[in-house]
């Protein structure tokens, strides 16, 4: 989307120049389906996170390199490359092995095992509502922020949902 591309361009240029005023945690959403991507964006931004949208795997990997996020959310049902394979590519990339990546969507019962095998931090099946996914990712971020800085964030249990 044009709006997403313009916002991404401005954010990356501001970050490189040091002009980025707020230090919000950034979430990269790789989802070619505009409706679900925008729903995730709205909910994460309402929760205080910066979001970057990517419309496919190549776009996502490019944005991941240019403007590194704290978390990546990948839709399993991509037409260019299945989400689990995208997760695998990210996790195999030097320097990105520990980047938290969450996989969602897909109706294949084997996807949960694939998600685990490729190193996804959690998998959310097609029936899991977006607010529940957002809550789980935010809880995960807060838990790990708290672990790295005991004075930051709130505690919560991370969950793997199917």
């Amino acid at each position: 989307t044009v709006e997403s591309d313009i916002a991404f361009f401005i954010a990356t240029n501001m970050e490189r120049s040091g002009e980025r005023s707020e230090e919000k945690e950034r979430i990269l959403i790789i989802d070619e389906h505009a409706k679900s991507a925008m729903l995730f964006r709205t909910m994460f931004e309402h929760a205080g996170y910066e979001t970057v949208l990517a419309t496919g795997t190549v776009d996502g990997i490019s944005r991941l390199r240019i403007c590194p996020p704290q978390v990546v959310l990948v839709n399993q049902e991509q037409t260019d490359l299945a989400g689990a394979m995208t997760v695998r590519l990210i996790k195999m990339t030097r320097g990105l092995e520990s980047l938290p990546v969450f996989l969602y969507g897909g109706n294949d019962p084997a996807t949960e095992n694939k998600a685990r095998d490729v190193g996804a931090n959690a998998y959310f099946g097609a029936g899991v509502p977006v607010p529940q996914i957002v809550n789980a990712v935010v809880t995960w971020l807060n838990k790990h922020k708290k672990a790295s800085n005991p004075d930051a964030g709130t505690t919560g249990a991370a969950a793997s949902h199917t």
Side-chain angles (χ1 to χ4, degrees):
T1 64
V2 172
E3 178 186 326
S4 176
D5 290 341
I6 292 170
F8 174 71
F9 176 77
I10 291 169
T12 55
N13 283 320
M14 289 177 71
E15 184 164 292
R16 285 189 200 144
S17 68
E19 295 175 24
R20 193 168 171 235
S21 60
E22 290 184 52
E23 285 302 319
K24 291 183 178 180
E25 290 179 295
R26 184 178 302 120
I27 299 172
L28 172 62
I29 302 163
I30 303 175
D31 191 337
E32 66 186 29
H33 306 287
K35 187 175 180 181
S36 61
M38 290 305 292
L39 181 55
F40 276 113
R41 167 179 258 174
T42 300
M43 295 190 77
F44 279 121
E45 288 183 352
H46 183 359
Y49 295 88
E50 178 183 334
T51 59
V52 175
L53 300 182
T55 58
T57 303
V58 173
D59 186 28
I61 299 297
S62 173
R63 291 173 191 261
L64 176 66
R65 287 297 197 184
I66 294 169
C67 199
Q70 281 68 44
V71 168
V72 180
L73 196 60
V74 181
N75 186 345
Q76 169 63 13
E77 297 190 343
Q78 299 285 109
T79 56
D80 60 350
L81 187 65
M85 294 307 298
T86 302
V87 172
R88 182 172 177 255
L89 287 172
I90 292 169
K91 292 292 190 169
M92 289 176 54
T93 302
R94 189 171 15 133
L96 300 178
E97 303 92 337
S98 63
L99 179 67
V101 183
F102 296 87
L103 185 64
Y104 67 93
N107 292 315
D108 182 358
T111 303
E112 182 174 8
N113 289 332
K114 287 179 192 172
R116 193 175 314 116
D117 292 345
V118 298
N121 292 75
Y123 169 70
F124 305 94
V128 179
V130 170
Q132 188 174 339
I133 297 170
V134 170
N135 184 54
V137 171
V138 168
T139 299
W140 190 95
L141 280 164
N142 288 335
K143 177 181 177 186
H144 287 81
K145 185 188 325 179
K146 177 94 172 151
S148 64
N149 179 2
D151 296 328
T154 60
T155 60
S160 177
H161 301 275
T162 56

